[in-house]
Amino acid sequence: MKITAILFLLVSGCVSFAGHLGYIFPAGGRAGETVEVLIGGQGNWGCNDIYTGTDKIRSVHYDRIVNVPFLYTSQREYYRKYLREKHFNRPIPPKPEKQDDWRKNKMLDEIDNLSPVQMNLLLRALYTRPNPLQISPSIGQKTIIKIAIAPDTKPGVYYLRLMGRGVITNPVPFMVGTAPEIQEQGYRPPYIKKEIPEFTLPASVNGQIRPGETDEYKVRLKAGTRCYFKLYGRFFKPYVGDGVPGFFQPILELRDEKGKQVAIAERTGVEIDPLLTCTAPADGVYTLLVRDSLYRGREDFVYRIDCGTGTAPQDTVACALPELPRKVYLPGMSVTEPVLITGVLASGQKVDIRFSGKKGEVKVFETFARRIGSTLDTVLRLYAPDGKLLAENDDTTPEVLAGNAMHFADSHLMVTLPVEGDYRLEMADRADEAGKFFLRIDRPRPDFQLLVTPSGLESIRGNSVSATLFIIKKEGFNAPIQLALSGSKLAKLTGNTLVPPGVTQMPLSIYEPGNRKGFAPEILRLSGTAKTSDGNLVRYATAADPAMQAFAYTHYITAPEFLHTSLWRVPGSVYPGALPKEVKIPCGKTKVLTFRAYSLPANAEFSAPKMPDAPAWLKADTPEIVSKDTKKRITTLKITIHIAADAPADADIVQALQLPFQYVTVSKDKQSRTRKSALPLPAMRIKTERINK
Amino acid sequence: MGLRRLGSPFFLLTLLFSGLSAGCSTPALPLNERLNRVWHEAEIETARPRTISDAHFLRRLYLDLTGLPPKPEVILQFLKDKDPEKRIKMVDKLLVSDEFAVYQAHLWGDELRIKAEFPINLWPNAVQKYSRYIYETIRDNVPYDRFARELLTSSGSNFRIPAANFFRAAADRSPKGLAQVTSQTFFGKPLSAWSVREQEQFIPFFTCIGYKSSKEWKEEFVFFKSPAPGSEMITAAVPGRRKVEIPAGTDPRKILADEIIASEPFAEAMVCRAWRRLFGREPVTPELSVLRREMAGRFRAGGFDLRQLYREILLSPAYSLPPGTPEEEKVFAAYPIRRLNAEQISDRLSMFLRKPFESYSSVIPEPFTFLPPGTRASAIEDGSISSPFLDLMGKPPRDSGAPEERKDVITGKQKLFLLNSGKLYRELQQAQKHYLRQKNDNLKKRVIRLYLAALARPVTPQELAFLEKKYKSTPPKLRGRFYTDLLWALVNSNEFIYQY
């Protein structure tokens, strides 16, 4: 009963839980071993397991940690002394009689049976005091999980999420390797000498950079050994919202026995993390140093270094090149579309291409350089037959920032040719550097991409839940897109499922009926189909989670799957079909929509509806209760939608209204409590029109 | 265009003529001979010894090249060494040391305005990248012309192409503002020091520098902003040089780099900079103009080798001279006494106290930066990171890059700090325990140890005799205070905070 009450409290507070997984330390393990990891996150109380997409990596022990509170002197000194005496196998001091200001904590109660990770947390709490200005709530909630990795697990990157009944977090990479695992030494109190971990190649080194820390390792190398140290740091957490600069910037340094620098590496223009390669100049024990480039640090500055001999494994650059006839670049060459020109731009040089065009013809010029791992920062210039500059493009920064890229260095031009004649296309590098490139000269090929967020959708059974869909349009694409959902036997799209032509961001409603059994997450596939002059285009949505960089930019970190999980009903639901999928409202007019809600608490009181990202010209009144059927628990509601007189005449948008309400419950001991919830309405297409007088 | 002009018959004739005329009127002399001639002409003859002691030389050399005094063991080893060329060897050793690169990079950081915050707003990412580049340039002894060319012509992200920060690290990024920082850096004088006509001809070089940002916090790209085709060619001139015409499609910075490097003030400014860093003053008086020109000529002919430039000055008789009168200092016939800079004093204190005197952090990045414990004040890359002590001692704000920003003068507040600081007193008491705790010690051993650590020289017999007398006259109960007073007096002595 108590558990049910707690769960009820949890689910009634909000529609979606949106737990957050901040970091995993260590960020990987060895196949065939069990690794104890510390996880930092926020709002993950409903989680009790992990999701990795494979049954070869599973949790065998899940322990939510209650952080050790601030301890006053007598208690802190007692436990410091307790651990010190225990370490030296000396008699344990008795507890002082006066314990008025002593605080309770599970780890203190179980001080003799703590795991290494727990002991590390306790020692830090006893000996260090965190700077209150440096505490980040997004990684404050700790969880310790023992993860068993099956011996036959394929080495590579897996994505780990925390999950529970109806809750699932964002994914964070978790790496599986075959080399021996080395871990930075945990916190050492003053009476224990800090030892520097030593290893030989190959190895996987795991560490965490805390404020101002430089981690040190000893690695034994033989003269002439070609070795690599490939660090993954920003890879695990591409952006830190409350950090400036907004991500971990690791630096790797290798020093010889005399302390002389042998090699140093940091991120490059293309790689987000450093790769240090070198040939050992002599036999010896070298020092490998890891730090943040600005000597910052916090718990989610987690890294893992793949250390080995020979050539470092290359990360594949994921960018599909268009399937077009290819030509190798020759200076001053004349081409006819479509063509994909390939070449290497020499330092300080420019690519010079000629082509003929007719008046009114639309041409597309696009470079592929940074996207294929080249350092080029291209700039495209199109010159008219009379030699005048017709168009220029440097970067193509999209409206939706997806992935790790922050500089969209490739160029794109779409130009309607003004006259018939011979045109000249010039491509240069902004920094006059050399690099490989592909240059597409083509007609426009309208296309689109879909991005859905969040990647872990938590819905309430018997209700609809909103996800956000971004539509990234290319080369003049402006057709409606019909959405479809697959992968679930029960969950389905509800409300409006058509992306109107002008829309680039819209809510997407997914309805989960109340008869689902079990809580296992399911992988959804969202597709969009559009008709273009090239035929039907079908594109599948990429799932992503928002992440902020440096308090300033919102990026979307792509996830391997679009997961869905659901929990029980909460008070109040609206069945699919209760509202029209589409309404047309003249400018300056209103529209009253009547619908029925089920299982709404009898004393529910609505407040002003919430309309995320709604335009200023769209308003909605607080819903009114029209009638109540207490026997069937059906409430009829009406809501009035207003379109301002100055609204655009042909607006076509999609909105999913949230109707917040509060109600009062009375417990058995007659204590009343006000609770809050919201009634989610399915996504609705709203069109405006101008009435001619 | 610039190269074409260099190859023109008129230019070659001019060069030949000027070389011949220079050669006819004032034949180039080695620095030693030139100095002797200057001193002779200035009628400077002194009866004082013309060279300082080995310990004095070592201390001076270490402080000027590395910012730190030599360690006691280094002093003793140097004094024991009977090699007549030990000074030359020490100069060569320090010029290739890491400490030299770190300290010189720090001084360059002042002139190149490497600072995260207002008014430069380079931000921490660019600061660390740019600083490391400067350090590596000095460590690898990159020729000065190459270094200048890289600074003047680099394009790209200021977080990835460190030299691109030269035109990024300016409070005023208008063509005039960029002309100002370029003039200050490479000619050693502000733009206003040139005639109005020269300024007007110089500024057009900077009209095609563009900036763009990305979606990375505070990243900026510096690039050549190509003017529209059909635009008129740019006509510009570096002060003291002829006008050059730059076609619309050509990056003026490349011509600018050629012209600046070819100009006389370029090499002379670096010669002056080297003298200033070693003597605290530049050879700018009329009687030193020939010396300056000759050194600049050798610097240019030697491939702009910065180490060689320093070596030439360090091995000249001027560097081994004791302090003297202002008239002698004016022509480098005496070594000018000057206060150590703020970072040197802080580092000296840390060395003498045997623990970091200060720790440094910054709240500009988040999470905050905490420089590793023991970081030298002269290894702080960011001009925005300071401390009340460094500010008190006149650490430059790095706003304009002008050498005058550094205030190496002693003030009443500074004296009061050194005399009265509670923190310093506590640290000295801690240090005293170290200096006195060794077994089989006696007053003499302790005094020798303290003098080596504090003043980087052995105690003189007179000083020792004075201290022994003082010690004996101190009641036994108060002899603990004797050492406290001695440490306190050493830290407050002129020798501790002055370079001489």
Side-chain angles (χ1 to χ4, degrees):
Chain A
M1 184 65 190
K2 197 175 175 183
I3 296 169
T4 316
I6 291 168
L7 283 171
F8 181 76
L9 281 173
L10 280 170
V11 298
S12 61
C14 52
V15 175
S16 178
F17 292 97
H20 173 71
L21 172 50
Y23 69 89
I24 307 169
F25 174 67
R30 190 182 192 185
E33 292 182 354
T34 298
V35 56
E36 186 183 27
V37 300
L38 174 68
I39 284 180
Q42 187 178 25
N44 296 325
W45 291 112
C47 301
N48 57 9
D49 203 352
I50 61 169
Y51 177 89
T52 56
T54 170
D55 56 2
K56 294 183 189 299
I57 303 170
R58 57 193 177 81
S59 79
V60 289
H61 179 77
Y62 193 103
D63 190 7
R64 282 184 288 267
I65 298 293
V66 178
N67 289 338
V68 181
F70 173 78
L71 303 179
Y72 291 104
T73 311
S74 71
Q75 191 180 11
R76 193 171 62 242
E77 286 306 317
Y78 170 76
Y79 281 108
R80 281 183 181 181
K81 198 170 181 185
Y82 180 94
L83 291 172
R84 188 171 63 238
E85 299 306 300
K86 196 180 163 199
H87 175 78
F88 293 114
N89 285 324
R90 294 195 291 241
I92 304 295
K95 274 190 181 179
E97 284 182 9
K98 198 184 172 195
Q99 298 180 12
D100 300 347
D101 58 358
W102 282 36
R103 292 183 161 180
K104 294 286 285 179
N105 183 266
K106 193 182 162 193
M107 277 200 279
L108 294 173
D109 295 341
E110 298 170 359
I111 196 163
D112 292 325
N113 302 309
L114 296 181
S115 70
V117 176
Q118 285 175 320
M119 180 55 80
N120 194 29
L121 283 176
L122 179 61
L123 283 169
R124 274 191 192 279
L126 289 176
Y127 282 93
T128 63
R129 184 179 285 190
N131 182 342
L133 295 172
Q134 297 276 276
I135 293 170
S136 175
S138 66
I139 52 170
Q141 190 184 39
K142 306 277 193 306
T143 308
I144 294 175
I145 308 173
K146 284 183 181 163
I147 299 173
I149 308 167
D152 58 342
T153 310
K154 201 176 158 193
V157 180
Y158 294 82
Y159 287 84
L160 188 149
R161 300 173 191 249
L162 299 185
M163 67 169 199
R165 291 187 164 194
V167 287
I168 194 141
T169 68
N170 56 304
V172 168
F174 182 80
M175 300 178 84
V176 174
T178 52
E181 294 283 321
I182 307 295
Q183 194 166 320
E184 72 159 320
Q185 212 177 29
Y187 181 78
R188 289 289 176 269
Y191 54 86
I192 302 177
K193 195 183 169 191
K194 189 154 188 172
E195 289 165 5
I196 300 170
E198 189 172 330
F199 64 92
T200 54
L201 302 180
S204 295
V205 177
N206 298 282
Q208 210 175 9
I209 298 292
R210 286 169 179 274
E213 259 186 11
T214 299
D215 285 356
E216 223 174 295
Y217 302 91
K218 296 284 180 195
V219 53
R220 196 170 284 279
L221 298 175
K222 285 188 174 177
T225 307
R226 176 88 188 143
C227 50
Y228 67 84
F229 302 88
K230 187 170 174 54
L231 187 144
Y232 297 88
R234 195 184 149 208
F235 171 75
F236 295 114
K237 188 163 186 173
Y239 303 102
V240 176
D242 50 353
V244 279
F247 40 84
F248 173 32
Q249 300 180 162
I251 282 190
L252 260 179
E253 191 180 344
L254 191 70
R255 292 186 185 167
D256 66 12
E257 288 180 340
K258 290 177 182 168
K260 193 183 168 194
Q261 189 185 89
V262 177
I264 188 165
E266 62 176 321
R267 66 176 175 141
T268 62
V270 180
E271 299 290 337
I272 59 169
D273 281 318
L275 166 67
L276 188 148
T277 56
C278 73
T279 302
D283 284 4
V285 179
Y286 290 75
T287 306
L288 185 68
L289 299 164
V290 189
R291 64 172 171 91
D292 177 66
S293 64
L294 304 176
Y295 293 101
R296 298 174 301 163
R298 63 183 213 175
E299 290 162 52
D300 52 352
F301 283 16
V302 169
Y303 64 86
R304 184 176 167 89
I305 315 170
D306 270 358
C307 314
T309 53
T311 311
Q314 292 289 314
D315 290 334
T316 49
V317 180
C319 173
L321 289 166
E323 293 292 331
L324 296 176
R326 292 191 182 190
K327 273 191 178 179
V328 176
Y329 171 69
L330 294 169
M333 70 194 292
S334 295
V335 295
T336 50
E337 64 164 52
V339 64
L340 188 68
I341 298 161
T342 173
V344 176
L345 182 67
S347 178
Q349 298 295 307
K350 288 173 183 168
V351 163
D352 185 10
I353 289 165
R354 315 291 164 123
F355 67 91
S356 300
K358 289 178 183 166
K359 185 181 177 183
E361 231 181 324
V362 184
K363 298 266 188 188
V364 169
F365 313 95
E366 185 180 18
T367 59
F368 294 81
R370 188 61 59 88
R371 286 175 284 179
I372 58 159
S374 169
T375 53
L376 287 183
D377 174 10
T378 58
V379 55
L380 279 176
R381 293 188 191 100
L382 181 66
Y383 294 96
D386 61 1
K388 283 187 179 166
L389 183 70
L390 195 61
E392 181 177 7
N393 181 258
D394 186 351
D395 296 342
T396 45
T397 307
E399 285 183 19
V400 181
L401 307 173
N404 294 332
M406 293 176 291
H407 177 212
F408 301 86
D410 291 342
S411 312
H412 186 278
L413 271 178
M414 193 163 87
V415 183
T416 304
L417 302 183
V419 288
E420 186 168 345
D422 293 332
Y423 290 80
R424 184 169 76 85
L425 181 71
E426 183 186 277
M427 189 198 84
D429 178 62
R430 270 296 186 206
D432 276 348
E433 287 193 357
K436 190 180 173 185
F437 71 90
F438 287 91
L439 174 60
R440 172 186 159 222
I441 301 177
D442 199 1
R443 65 174 173 82
R445 293 178 193 271
D447 201 345
F448 66 96
Q449 283 180 337
L450 300 175
L451 191 84
V452 64
T453 184
S455 73
L457 197 64
E458 300 163 350
S459 66
I460 305 298
R461 294 177 184 178
N463 249 326
S464 61
V465 64
S466 276
T468 304
L469 184 71
F470 293 99
I471 304 98
I472 302 153
K473 297 176 178 180
K474 294 175 181 174
E475 294 177 15
F477 176 87
N478 203 27
I481 303 167
Q482 181 60 52
L483 302 171
L485 190 73
S486 61
S488 173
K489 285 179 184 172
L490 296 171
K492 59 181 181 183
L493 288 178
T494 184
N496 171 63
T497 58
L498 190 79
V499 181
V503 169
T504 55
Q505 178 187 343
M506 62 173 250
L508 187 73
S509 293
I510 293 169
Y511 176 75
E512 169 77 358
N515 54 349
R516 179 183 286 278
K517 287 178 183 170
F519 297 95
E522 57 189 11
I523 299 173
L524 302 179
R525 280 196 99 188
L526 178 70
S527 64
T529 307
K531 280 183 184 171
T532 67
S533 53
D534 290 338
N536 271 2
L537 281 181
V538 181
R539 298 287 179 258
Y540 288 93
T542 304
D545 292 293
M548 186 160 267
Q549 181 215 154
F551 302 99
Y553 305 106
T554 302
H555 300 260
Y556 291 89
I557 305 170
T558 51
E561 68 274 291
F562 183 28
L563 273 185
H564 169 245
T565 185
S566 62
L567 195 59
W568 300 281
R569 243 172 227 271
V570 291
S573 63
V574 179
Y575 283 175
L579 284 165
K581 289 182 179 181
E582 181 184 321
V583 290
K584 191 177 251 185
I585 309 173
C587 296
K589 300 286 180 186
T590 59
K591 178 101 178 173
V592 179
L593 299 169
T594 308
F595 59 95
R596 291 196 295 180
Y598 297 82
S599 308
L600 200 64
N603 54 13
E605 282 181 22
F606 285 90
S607 51
K610 286 182 182 172
M611 295 190 290
D613 306 314
W617 46 263
L618 177 68
K619 297 267 188 274
D621 289 344
T622 303
E624 290 172 33
I625 296 170
V626 178
S627 66
K628 282 182 188 174
D629 183 341
T630 46
K631 198 175 176 184
K632 291 183 180 173
R633 302 189 68 198
I634 296 173
T635 308
T636 306
L637 296 152
K638 70 170 185 182
I639 184 165
T640 309
I641 296 172
H642 301 264
I643 303 293
D646 58 351
D650 53 353
D652 191 353
I653 62 163
V654 179
Q655 268 295 320
L657 277 72
Q658 294 270 335
L659 308 182
F661 65 89
Q662 62 177 33
Y663 59 103
V664 178
T665 56
V666 182
S667 61
K668 278 183 181 175
D669 53 358
K670 294 185 179 175
Q671 284 199 335
S672 63
R673 186 174 176 142
T674 305
R675 303 185 187 284
K676 288 179 179 175
S677 188
L679 202 61
L681 298 187
M684 190 164 56
R685 186 175 175 188
I686 301 170
K687 288 180 174 178
T688 62
E689 59 180 353
R690 182 84 59 198
I691 298 173
N692 295 321
K693 289 178 182 175
Chain B
M1 183 57 105
L3 282 175
R4 241 184 294 151
R5 203 180 67 73
L6 272 174
S8 72
F10 177 77
F11 178 77
L12 289 174
L13 275 173
T14 313
L15 195 71
L16 189 66
F17 178 74
S18 60
L20 283 173
S21 60
C24 289
S25 59
T26 51
L29 293 176
L31 180 58
N32 297 359
E33 287 180 32
R34 175 58 60 199
L35 280 169
N36 282 327
R37 182 170 291 192
V38 169
W39 296 338
H40 179 74
E41 284 168 8
E43 296 174 353
I44 290 172
E45 294 293 337
T46 63
R48 290 179 290 108
R50 295 302 290 165
T51 183
I52 52 176
S53 68
D54 280 346
H56 192 164
F57 177 81
L58 188 70
R59 177 191 183 279
R60 184 184 285 179
L61 187 69
Y62 257 83
L63 281 168
D64 280 339
L65 293 191
T66 69
L68 298 168
K71 289 180 180 168
E73 57 270 24
V74 177
I75 302 168
L76 295 174
Q77 203 180 343
F78 188 71
L79 296 180
K80 213 186 285 176
D81 193 350
K82 300 292 178 202
D83 188 345
E85 294 201 330
K86 65 180 177 183
R87 290 192 182 192
I88 300 172
K89 285 180 181 170
M90 185 55 78
V91 166
D92 290 339
K93 183 185 160 190
L94 288 185
L95 283 174
V96 296
S97 69
D98 196 55
E99 286 79 10
F100 171 73
V102 169
Y103 184 57
Q104 294 302 315
H106 184 75
L107 297 178
W108 269 109
D110 293 345
E111 298 195 44
L112 294 173
R113 310 160 302 282
I114 303 181
K115 181 178 184 179
E117 283 281 275
F118 181 82
I120 303 300
N121 290 341
L122 209 49
W123 304 110
N125 244 346
V127 165
Q128 64 95 9
K129 191 81 183 171
Y130 197 18
S131 298
R132 182 132 49 91
Y133 161 77
I134 306 291
Y135 158 76
E136 287 170 356
T137 300
I138 295 161
R139 183 196 63 190
D140 302 339
N141 196 29
V142 170
Y144 182 56
D145 61 331
R146 203 175 100 196
F147 175 50
R149 194 179 298 279
E150 283 175 3
L151 292 179
L152 288 167
T153 61
S154 287
S155 297
S157 158
N158 68 328
F159 289 178
R160 292 176 180 79
I161 312 290
N165 280 295
F166 179 74
F167 287 122
R168 175 67 188 72
D172 174 7
R173 287 196 262 159
S174 66
K176 190 178 177 185
L178 298 177
Q180 157 62 28
V181 296
T182 306
S183 174
Q184 184 69 55
T185 308
F186 296 111
F187 300 140
K189 52 172 112 174
L191 189 66
S192 54
W194 304 105
S195 69
V196 175
R197 187 184 159 82
E198 282 173 321
Q199 289 180 40
E200 282 172 357
Q201 288 179 339
F202 189 46
I203 291 169
F205 277 117
F206 305 92
T207 50
C208 294
I209 297 173
Y211 301 91
K212 67 170 182 174
S213 59
S214 73
K215 291 291 178 186
E216 180 173 345
W217 184 76
K218 302 295 181 191
E219 182 180 38
E220 257 188 306
F221 295 73
V222 177
F223 62 90
F224 162 51
K225 193 175 63 186
S226 184
S231 307
E232 285 182 9
M233 59 172 61
I234 296 168
T235 306
V238 162
R241 305 273 299 168
R242 288 180 55 221
K243 276 186 190 173
V244 284
E245 289 181 337
I246 306 159
T250 305
D251 187 348
R253 294 178 303 160
K254 291 179 179 168
I255 313 291
L256 171 73
D258 291 339
E259 288 291 305
I260 283 183
I261 292 165
S263 71
E264 271 187 28
F266 173 72
E268 282 189 26
M270 187 58 228
V271 167
C272 289
R273 181 180 283 127
W275 280 94
R276 189 178 69 239
R277 287 186 185 171
L278 298 174
F279 286 82
R281 61 191 310 158
E282 297 179 3
V284 287
T285 50
E287 49 270 53
L288 293 168
S289 59
V290 178
L291 175 145
R292 201 170 60 232
R293 263 206 310 279
E294 285 176 352
M295 281 194 75
R298 280 193 292 275
F299 180 49
R300 185 181 294 278
F304 294 101
D305 186 334
L306 284 168
R307 263 184 213 155
Q308 185 54 40
L309 176 65
Y310 276 89
R311 195 175 185 276
E312 188 180 7
I313 302 170
L314 292 167
L315 297 179
S316 74
Y319 195 72
S320 298
L321 290 175
T325 62
E327 288 71 30
E328 290 171 339
E329 285 176 5
K330 208 173 157 190
V331 287
F332 297 96
Y335 189 87
I337 298 175
R338 63 188 194 276
R339 210 208 68 194
L340 295 178
N341 63 40
E343 295 88 330
Q344 284 175 317
I345 296 174
S346 176
D347 291 341
R348 259 205 107 165
L349 280 171
S350 298
M351 265 183 84
F352 182 55
L353 300 172
R354 303 183 64 82
K355 64 178 285 196
F357 181 60
E358 291 192 298
S359 56
Y360 303 102
S361 63
S362 170
V363 295
I364 298 163
E366 289 194 41
F368 304 153
T369 284
F370 293 98
L371 297 182
T375 298
R376 286 170 50 186
S378 50
I380 300 172
E381 297 169 339
D382 187 353
S384 301
I385 301 180
S386 188
S387 69
F389 178 76
L390 291 177
D391 290 341
L392 175 72
M393 291 293 165
K395 184 177 190 279
R398 292 187 175 179
D399 290 347
S400 70
E404 297 77 36
E405 282 192 337
R406 189 176 275 287
K407 305 285 182 220
D408 292 342
V409 288
I410 193 83
T411 64
K413 278 188 180 179
Q414 293 168 6
K415 285 178 186 168
L416 276 175
F417 181 90
L418 293 169
L419 279 169
N420 281 334
S421 160
K423 183 189 173 184
L424 186 57
Y425 178 69
R426 285 189 296 276
E427 301 290 356
L428 281 171
Q429 281 186 318
Q430 291 296 317
Q432 184 181 335
K433 288 177 189 167
H434 166 81
Y435 287 113
L436 305 185
R437 77 177 164 203
Q438 297 189 20
K439 285 181 182 174
N440 303 323
D441 244 357
N442 55 31
L443 175 71
K444 189 179 172 184
K445 282 183 184 174
R446 285 172 174 175
V447 168
I448 290 172
R449 198 183 305 132
L450 279 170
Y451 266 70
L452 282 173
L455 307 182
R457 66 165 174 85
V459 62
T460 63
Q462 294 85 347
E463 284 167 336
L464 188 60
F466 171 79
L467 289 169
E468 277 173 340
K469 193 178 161 191
K470 199 83 183 161
Y471 186 75
K472 279 174 191 165
S473 66
T474 308
K477 276 185 184 175
L478 297 177
R479 283 183 181 168
R481 284 295 305 271
F482 171 83
Y483 288 108
T484 310
D485 290 348
L486 178 58
L487 258 78
W488 197 256
L490 288 173
V491 166
N492 278 280
S493 67
N494 282 343
E495 278 189 66
F496 193 87
I497 55 168
Y498 278 89
Q499 170 69 307
Y500 61 96

